[in-house]
Amino acid sequence: MSIAAKQEAAGLDVEKALHMYRGMVAIRAFEERANDLYTRALMPGLAHLYIGEEAIAVGVCEALRPDDYITSTHRGHGHCLAKGAVPNLMFAELLGKEAGYCKGKGGSMHIADPATGNLGANAIVGGGSTLATGAAYASKMLGQDRVAVCFFGEGALGQGVLYESMNLAQLWTLPVLYVCENNMYCEYTHYSETTAGDIPSRATAFGLASETVDGQDVRAVHAAASKMVERARRGDGPGFLLMNTYRFRGHHVGDIARDYYRSKQEEQRWMADRDPIAIFGGWLVSEGLADKGALDRLEKEVAAEMDAAVEFAKNAPYPDAQRVDEDVYA
Amino acid sequence: MSIAAKQEAAGLDVEKALHMYRGMVAIRAFEERANDLYTRALMPGLAHLYIGEEAIAVGVCEALRPDDYITSTHRGHGHCLAKGAVPNLMFAELLGKEAGYCKGKGGSMHIADPATGNLGANAIVGGGSTLATGAAYASKMLGQDRVAVCFFGEGALGQGVLYESMNLAQLWTLPVLYVCENNMYCEYTHYSETTAGDIPSRATAFGLASETVDGQDVRAVHAAASKMVERARRGDGPGFLLMNTYRFRGHHVGDIARDYYRSKQEEQRWMADRDPIAIFGGWLVSEGLADKGALDRLEKEVAAEMDAAVEFAKNAPYPDAQRVDEDVYA
Amino acid sequence: MPDTAIHPERSRGTAVREISYADAIREALAEEMRRDPTVFVIGEDVAEAGTPFKVVKGLVEEFGKTRVVDTPISEAGFTGLAVGAAMAGMRPVVDIMFGDFMTLIMDQVVNQAAKIHYMSGGKWKVPMVIRATMGATRRSAAQHSQSLHAWPSHIPGLKVAIPSTPYDAKGLLKAAIRDDNPVVVFEDKISYAKVKGPVPDEDYVIPLGVADIKREGSDISIVATSSMVQVALGAATMLEEIGIDAEVVDPRTTWPLDEKTLIESVKKTSRCIVVDEGYFRYGVTGEIASVIAEGAFYDLDGPVRRLGARHVPIPFAPPLEDATVPNERDVVALARQMCNK
Amino acid sequence: MPDTAIHPERSRGTAVREISYADAIREALAEEMRRDPTVFVIGEDVAEAGTPFKVVKGLVEEFGKTRVVDTPISEAGFTGLAVGAAMAGMRPVVDIMFGDFMTLIMDQVVNQAAKIHYMSGGKWKVPMVIRATMGATRRSAAQHSQSLHAWPSHIPGLKVAIPSTPYDAKGLLKAAIRDDNPVVVFEDKISYAKVKGPVPDEDYVIPLGVADIKREGSDISIVATSSMVQVALGAATMLEEIGIDAEVVDPRTTWPLDEKTLIESVKKTSRCIVVDEGYFRYGVTGEIASVIAEGAFYDLDGPVRRLGARHVPIPFAPPLEDATVPNERDVVALARQMCNK
Ligand SMILES: Cc1ncc(C[n+]2csc(CCOP(=O)(O)OP(=O)(O)O)c2C)c(N)n1
Ligand SMILES: Cc1ncc(C[n+]2csc(CCOP(=O)(O)OP(=O)(O)O)c2C)c(N)n1
Ligand SMILES: [Mg+2]
Ligand SMILES: [Mg+2]
């Protein structure tokens, strides 16, 4: 069967698959450019890259509607893009420009956008957990069927408010999904030094449905998320997904000398064997749903789009200093 | 066999049993007098009575050494007495007198006493959880083998910091025991409205050893607590005990009209069938370890002691107003 | 529905009923819940119990348990939930039973609610109210007696109201609920039942940021907040007897702060005492006194003086606790000294 | 072990080495940990990583992981644990990576640590230190840039230090660790690497509650805290050129507050600016300005003036963030205006 024929046979799923592939490639390309902007001292603040974890944001957000909600973290570029943010306004925000999503007031750690249901990246670890729960609460009270997804790193398992949130969500059967990205490190500390017991039990103890997923496999992520999202949307209550993954880079761009907390070999093993883009690309090709050439072309397209977005952001002006007093009060 | 012979056969255990019986009777007698002082407007503030839950404080504290630590709650009289506090200084504190445990500065909700390892009753729900964990931490760092017990109502399961504490305790194998007194109500709300999932799992999720106990049976409480305390003392880490119990009275003395949140029948059922003192007294008599007369005499003795303590407190002077500025800084 | 009246000034003459501070608050909530289906009340024991202070008693009967929501003892959790719900279209009114528990929700209030509008470049809004109590002398000891309104007053993005009368409590709370920003309202526990006053029947709001002259006078300005307004008025009556005519000014909101009214009062009287029930040091009086001292410096006869709660945790014993909060005698003594009488 | 020197005054001449603010803090910790085995450091990424600011780097190598303790991201949990540990015989030094996370620990600090000594009638002690950072202009945006030292300064039972120099940072931190009360020390993030200064080799402490005159002058007093001390000194140099002789006074601790030194300086100069990096409103400047205005009223040429961070959440964009924190130009402009030059 030709690729076209196979694609036709697979129908809508192929479109979705290619959309997810493109989404992961876009995040990777975005983050590479953020890295570059940062190292060239064009991006102020800190840059926490999502490279290596793309399958999670993409697989989960592919299961969401545009009007569904997400909350994100300090490592939030991937979630924001996957939920529909456009790269030029994101880069502009990363550079602190007036054209950015938050008029330059938020920066990398605070991208927010009502139009795509993005309640905001959040620089307080665990900070999104109550916000997502609250959006789910509003959805239910307003008789909507919008679902809220709370993305967080396994570090947030240390914040008690997460348990308060899960308890409320389960008590009130709220349409919220807690997605724990266990990339094995909180900053410079291995999660085994910070996490006693067993992660999924921390959700099932409160009665939540829970599943553990290979976070490098976008198909697995998407399948699990779809199930949980539909369940929540139906009114069957909150869910918890433990995503096992890995942060390919440092905690932030400046975190270079990392041997004191993790080995080069470990990093290389993950990058070689467990790259979510390579895994999914390989699958697409082996299933005959796309050929290497097409994927390469897609990557080039994305690269061009990202380069243009970077140019847009670089050329965009900073906000006037007097804007500082605006937007404090609504 | 005569009672004396039976007692001799049972050896030390009888002494312990009678000590526990006396402890429960003392708490009951103390609380009845607190109730009386309060309703006669002699006790300022609020009075949260422990009546009905005596077996827990007594059964647990009987497993502790004098130098072990406890933290207590707003409903703390029972814990303090069981850990060795003397009634006259407690009543004096309840009345805000200079002679009280805290020179009148703490009151009913803040009885504290280094001499008996009492880190303090605490009016912040869940507030004791980190303090007990910290005392256990100090014990371990200082190479002592002191154990810390954190008493709390099931309402504290709503406070995230409890989960933070249990995680730390398990990670660092601390000698601390979390004792959850599920008396089924947080103030005026049934615990099923506030508690999703399953209580013991909230501890086992963090890896803690856990056991569910009939909190009206002081022997069961004592057995479970002894096991957990010895385990902790040996260095085998923290434990969690879920004690099922019932608050015989209102949330505080002024909480009279209670039908809107619980029925008279429910209360009467518990008082008739599940009174911890009656249950244990009955057992002592049926096992032939004490006779009714002896128990009655003991009750009278306790009553006299409590009456004297109340007199002491009533006659004790208030602190001078200028004392207000003392003890702010050490 | 008739148009809402905007009353920047204290009601004078229009009111016919005398109701309590607690009743006024309950009325404000009920009216706003009727007016706007997105308003809901959330907190511990707010439904059938109506809180330990009974201040929201009766609401659950009218609005049901989905709009008067009992929570677990999870102050951080349900306050944060309210922030998210506010972003997503609701207007939550959070009940913090004791203002001392503000300690548990500062992250949700300060790092989230207060900043989300700004951090998002004005895109998200957080229209929510936090009702917390304040006030000592209830023998509730150190963890249930604090007046922590200075903390949120310090934080850009928050508004803070501290009503002293039933009229103000109702009008400010209604304004807070309609405001598109997070507003923290501190209610004095003692005033709930003790303070009664005229409240008009008709719908009205009091704009946030407008001070009210509770008593006019020419010799000295007493700027007083919350429970201290009653103290100041009592002191003013006593001062009148010895020929000192005190003006009592109630800022009503610490933020926005009606600097103009405060400064003008002091320009007129040339003397000023600021009295507040919060801890004295680094509290509300420092800011207000500084604003007045800057704005009315050349009209001042002497320094602006301040009274606040003693620099001690609130003790339990009645004679000790009574020594911690400013009272009428303290105000009178200071005013006499300042007026050389 | 030689006796500890008590240096109420800024080191003058005895010091031979110039070290950074971060190094001074690390030295203080190391020396106290050597001196007293009950002292330990606890916080996120404090061990091998030495915190993101590298300020405690190296301690784990000397003292091991049982005394330099990496924690989960549980600020409330480990701060509360430290309170309990302090009661039970230890002297914990808690590391709060960003002062913004004070929001998460206020209950442990304010309702527990600050009150336990008092509530227990003086029986329990809580000898612990909380080290938190402060300071903006690092492009860290609204949740990682705040200077929240006004909050604990408001609370009886706490002491609060805000060192501005390596010398002060070391001496105050050592005093804080030896103090039997909970002490919150706010360290300016920018100063860690940027500010260097003389620090003597020998053991010394600086008593909490003693201000330091960082520069003597006769025309105007600039009372400055933490990062603002460098700003004030820079401004003083610029003012000197136009003939204004500014005195720069650093309270070093907001509580206890050395009122006497502040007031005396202003009595001498008759003009005063108070400058602090925290949010302007209801912050540190209000209290200090009020204390000075009360104490030096009759010597003042004009009102005490204040500079603080703008009343906005800290924005990310550099031109916006730079507009939020007082700088040398602001101080100079205000001083010129006050001195009519
Ligand atoms: C409440 C809070 N504490 C500490 C920090 C500092 N901090 C930023 S990211 C981070 C580690 C987060 O780890 P994790 O949640 O696993 O997310 P990851 O970075 O691995 O994606 C820490 C400690 C913070 N931002 N918020
Ligand atoms: C953090 C906090 N929130 C709320 C309260 C008010 N409050 C005092 S006791 C109580 C109920 C506690 O219930 P539980 O923990 O089950 O203990 P019980 O009274 O049943 O012994 C509440 C909500 C408080 N003291 N502390
Ligand atoms: Mg992680
Ligand atoms: Mg209970």
Side-chain angles (χ1 to χ4, degrees), chain A residues 12-32:
Chain A
L12 250 185
D13 280 1
V14 174
E15 209 174 287
K16 192 186 250 189
L18 288 175
H19 187 248
M20 293 203 290
Y21 186 79
R22 191 180 217 286
M24 293 199 289
V25 168
I27 294 172
R28 179 77 49 99
F30 184 95
E31 295 294 56
E32 294 291 8

Side-chain angles (χ1 to χ4, degrees), chain C residues 100-108 110-112 114-115 118-119 141-143 146-158 253-255 257 259 278-291 293-295 297-298 300-306 310-316 320 324, chain D residues 100-108 110-112 114-115 118-119 141-143 146-158 253-255 257 259 278-291 293-295 297-298 300-306 310-316 320 324:
Chain C
D100 311 70
F101 311 154
M102 291 298 292
T103 53
L104 293 162
I105 63 168
M106 291 317 276
D107 196 66
Q108 285 67 38
V110 169
N111 282 333
Q112 310 297 347
K115 296 179 171 46
Y118 193 80
M119 293 192 303
Q143 295 175 333
Q146 294 167 94
S147 300
L148 293 174
H149 47 298
W151 284 357
S153 303
H154 184 46
I155 303 299
L158 300 176
T253 50
T254 51
W255 196 261
L257 181 66
E259 305 192 1
Y279 295 126
F280 183 52
R281 294 305 194 149
Y282 300 93
V284 158
T285 63
E287 179 67 21
I288 294 179
S290 290
V291 163
E294 285 174 53
F297 184 80
Y298 299 99
L300 279 170
D301 253 23
V304 178
R305 300 293 298 273
R306 305 180 293 147
R310 230 177 170 81
H311 193 72
V312 305
I314 316 281
F316 170 70
L320 300 184
T324 64
Chain D
D100 311 70
F101 312 154
M102 292 296 293
T103 52
L104 292 162
I105 63 169
M106 292 317 276
D107 196 65
Q108 286 67 39
V110 169
N111 281 333
Q112 310 297 346
K115 297 178 171 46
Y118 193 81
M119 292 192 304
Q143 295 175 333
Q146 293 168 94
S147 300
L148 293 174
H149 47 298
W151 283 358
S153 303
H154 184 46
I155 304 299
L158 300 177
T253 50
T254 50
W255 196 263
L257 181 66
E259 305 192 2
Y279 295 125
F280 182 52
R281 294 305 196 148
Y282 299 94
V284 158
T285 62
E287 180 66 22
I288 294 179
S290 290
V291 163
E294 285 176 52
F297 185 80
Y298 299 99
L300 278 171
D301 253 23
V304 178
R305 299 292 299 272
R306 306 180 291 148
R310 229 179 169 81
H311 192 72
V312 305
I314 316 281
F316 170 71
L320 299 185
T324 64

Side-chain angles (χ1 to χ4, degrees), chain B residues 53 74-75 153-155 181-187 191 247:
Chain B
E53 312 186 27
H74 58 287
R75 197 177 303 291
E154 89 290 351
E181 305 179 319
N182 183 8
N183 63 11
M184 311 219 298
Y185 294 89
C186 313
E187 292 196 345
Y191 86 103
R247 189 188 79 202

Side-chain angles (χ1 to χ4, degrees), chain A residues 43-46 93-97 103-110 121-125 155-160 186-189 193-195 260 318-329, chain D residues 44-52 54 57 65 70-77 97-98 100-101 103-104 138-144 146 310-321 323-324:
Chain A
M43 175 182 165
L46 287 185
E93 190 59 37
L94 264 55
L95 303 194
K97 301 301 182 70
K103 305 185 192 160
K105 284 177 171 153
S108 159
M109 296 200 290
H110 301 292
N122 209 307
I124 301 296
V125 167
L157 295 167
Q159 290 286 320
C186 312
E187 292 194 344
Y188 321 109
T189 302
E193 287 184 52
T194 59
T195 318
Y260 73 91
Y318 283 115
D320 266 8
Q322 81 253 26
R323 293 278 165 120
V324 68
D325 293 323
E326 295 172 6
D327 304 318
V328 181
Y329 292 96
Chain D
E44 292 154 21
D45 288 304
V46 291
E48 291 83 359
T51 82
K54 306 295 168 206
K57 187 112 189 140
K65 289 200 73 143
D70 274 343
T71 64
I73 310 179
S74 305
E75 284 84 0
M97 194 185 290
F98 287 86
D100 311 70
F101 312 154
T103 52
L104 292 162
R138 294 176 73 252
R139 319 314 182 200
S140 304
Q143 295 175 333
H144 279 65
Q146 293 168 94
R310 229 179 169 81
H311 192 72
V312 305
I314 316 281
F316 170 71
L320 299 185
E321 188 179 29
T324 64

Side-chain angles (χ1 to χ4, degrees), chain B residues 31-80:
Chain B
E31 296 292 56
E32 295 289 10
R33 280 156 188 79
N35 184 69
D36 185 57
L37 288 165
Y38 192 88
T39 47
R40 290 196 292 139
L42 290 169
M43 175 183 166
L46 287 185
H48 305 89
L49 305 183
Y50 195 62
I51 292 178
E53 312 186 27
E54 296 90 342
I56 302 168
V58 166
V60 170
C61 289
E62 192 72 26
L64 297 179
R65 294 195 320 224
D67 67 341
D68 287 334
Y69 295 105
I70 63 162
T71 60
S72 171
T73 69
H74 58 287
R75 197 177 303 291
H77 307 160
H79 310 129
C80 299

Side-chain angles (χ1 to χ4, degrees), chain C:
Chain C
M1 203 184 296
D3 279 351
T4 303
I6 311 266
H7 288 192
E9 301 274 310
R10 166 173 56 122
S11 161
R12 283 188 186 86
T14 60
V16 285
R17 309 168 305 147
E18 293 259 332
I19 64 173
S20 75
Y21 187 85
D23 286 338
I25 290 161
R26 186 182 314 113
E27 280 191 5
L29 290 168
E31 289 176 16
E32 293 306 301
M33 290 176 80
R34 275 175 218 133
R35 204 182 53 80
D36 181 347
T38 66
V39 177
F40 70 103
V41 169
I42 183 167
E44 291 153 21
D45 289 304
V46 292
E48 290 84 0
T51 84
F53 309 107
K54 307 295 169 207
V55 67
V56 305
K57 188 113 187 138
L59 292 186
V60 74
E61 282 75 15
E62 178 171 354
F63 301 102
K65 288 197 76 142
T66 57
R67 292 183 68 196
V68 185
V69 186
D70 274 344
T71 64
I73 310 178
S74 304
E75 284 85 358
F78 66 75
T79 303
L81 178 144
V83 178
M87 296 172 76
M90 304 298 294
R91 290 190 171 267
V93 180
V94 173
D95 189 292
I96 298 295
M97 195 185 289
F98 287 86
D100 311 70
F101 311 154
M102 291 298 292
T103 53
L104 293 162
I105 63 168
M106 291 317 276
D107 196 66
Q108 285 67 38
V109 175
V110 169
N111 282 333
Q112 310 297 347
K115 296 179 171 46
I116 282 172
H117 186 63
Y118 193 80
M119 293 192 303
S120 69
K123 286 187 181 165
W124 284 110
K125 284 182 189 162
V126 187
M128 72 185 283
V129 173
I130 292 163
R131 292 179 42 247
T133 57
M134 61 183 284
T137 66
R138 294 176 74 252
R139 319 315 182 201
S140 305
Q143 295 175 333
H144 280 66
S145 306
Q146 294 167 94
S147 300
L148 293 174
H149 47 298
W151 284 357
S153 303
H154 184 46
I155 303 299
L158 300 176
K159 299 184 180 180
V160 181
I162 42 172
S164 65
T165 65
Y167 179 79
D168 290 351
K170 183 169 177 184
L172 292 169
L173 180 52
K174 284 166 69 94
I177 292 172
R178 298 185 197 184
D179 200 288
D180 273 345
N181 299 286
V183 182
V184 191
V185 182
F186 285 90
E187 300 168 3
D188 177 52
K189 296 184 282 263
I190 295 266
S191 298
Y192 277 145
K194 208 179 96 180
V195 177
K196 296 197 165 63
V199 173
D201 271 319
E202 83 265 15
D203 183 32
Y204 70 97
V205 296
I206 299 173
L208 304 174
V210 182
D212 185 41
I213 297 180
K214 293 282 190 252
R215 180 190 197 281
E216 286 184 22
S218 55
D219 294 332
I220 185 167
S221 300
I222 306 175
V223 177
T225 60
S226 185
S227 60
M228 292 297 109
V229 171
Q230 301 301 326
V231 168
L233 290 170
T237 306
M238 292 160 70
L239 289 167
E240 194 169 5
E241 285 167 26
I242 52 168
I244 297 176
D245 185 21
E247 176 148 306
V248 176
V249 188
D250 177 357
R252 294 202 288 207
T253 50
T254 51
W255 196 261
L257 181 66
D258 183 355
E259 305 192 1
K260 192 161 160 287
T261 300
L262 304 182
I263 290 169
E264 267 165 20
S265 169
V266 178
K267 281 191 170 169
K268 179 178 73 176
T269 62
S270 72
R271 298 181 190 91
C272 180
I273 297 173
V274 185
V275 54
D276 175 83
E277 199 184 330
Y279 295 126
F280 183 52
R281 294 305 194 149
Y282 300 93
V284 158
T285 63
E287 179 67 21
I288 294 179
S290 290
V291 163
I292 292 170
E294 285 174 53
F297 184 80
Y298 299 99
D299 296 285
L300 279 170
D301 253 23
V304 178
R305 300 293 298 273
R306 305 180 293 147
L307 293 169
R310 230 177 170 81
H311 193 72
V312 305
I314 316 281
F316 170 70
L320 300 184
E321 187 180 29
D322 289 339
T324 64
V325 177
N327 59 32
E328 297 180 2
R329 282 188 318 281
D330 300 328
V331 175
V332 167
L334 182 55
R336 290 183 68 157
Q337 182 196 319
M338 291 168 71
C339 297
N340 293 315
K341 286 217 183 175

